[in-house]
Amino acid sequence: QVQLVQSGGGLVQAGGSLRLSCTVSGRTFRSGAVAWFRQPPGGEREFVAGLFRNNGRTYYGDFVRGRFTISTDNTKTTVFLQMNALTSDDTAVYYCAKDERLILSSLRLPSEYDYWGQGTPVTVSS
């Protein structure tokens, strides 16, 4: 059974940085895509960043503007989200998600992902 376990996150001041991790167990990340989403208080879940296993291409939400980076470790079992220049607008619960059959047109749709992490709160104080 596939499990996604997240770590990282917490409280940071505006302008600071955080790194989130998501470790995939049960099946290695060999195909499809892995992504990060976030859900602000009272808001909807939105796409943050995604990475395709087959070609390593990365995609980001429009609001990222070069501040975040999605990457994997050499074993392709852990996915990271490095977040820099954080603002209070980045306050949200962040989730990693994985799907092995995802295509580009579905990358930004939460409903297309089969597996999810438990969520990690990120709070940015201004």
Side-chain angles (χ1 to χ4, degrees):
Q1 184 174 353
V2 177
Q3 286 188 320
L4 279 65
V5 179
Q6 297 178 221
S7 61
L11 176 65
V12 64
Q13 290 187 336
S17 299
L18 282 174
R19 189 174 82 157
L20 307 182
S21 300
C22 174
T23 299
V24 181
S25 63
R27 186 180 300 173
T28 56
F29 172 42
R30 296 187 181 278
S31 62
V34 64
W36 289 94
F37 289 81
R38 71 183 188 182
Q39 188 162 9
E44 296 184 351
R45 197 164 295 192
E46 62 179 344
F47 175 79
V48 176
L51 183 151
F52 279 97
R53 170 64 178 90
N54 60 349
N55 57 21
R57 288 184 178 175
T58 58
Y59 300 84
Y60 295 93
D62 292 341
F63 63 86
V64 170
R65 299 191 192 98
R67 300 179 299 133
F68 298 176
T69 303
I70 186 172
S71 63
T72 63
D73 66 353
N74 291 337
T75 64
K76 302 291 191 295
T77 58
T78 300
V79 182
F80 304 102
L81 182 68
Q82 177 67 42
M83 304 186 292
N84 300 324
L86 288 162
T87 74
S88 57
D89 289 340
D90 296 314
T91 294
V93 177
Y94 285 71
Y95 298 89
C96 62
K98 175 182 179 299
D99 192 272
E100 295 190 348
R101 298 175 302 277
L102 209 69
I103 57 176
L104 182 57
S105 60
S106 301
L107 183 67
R108 300 169 187 263
L109 303 176
S111 59
E112 295 294 321
Y113 289 79
D114 287 340
Y115 303 104
W116 288 86
Q118 79 275 21
T120 300
V122 171
T123 303
V124 183
S125 63
S126 57

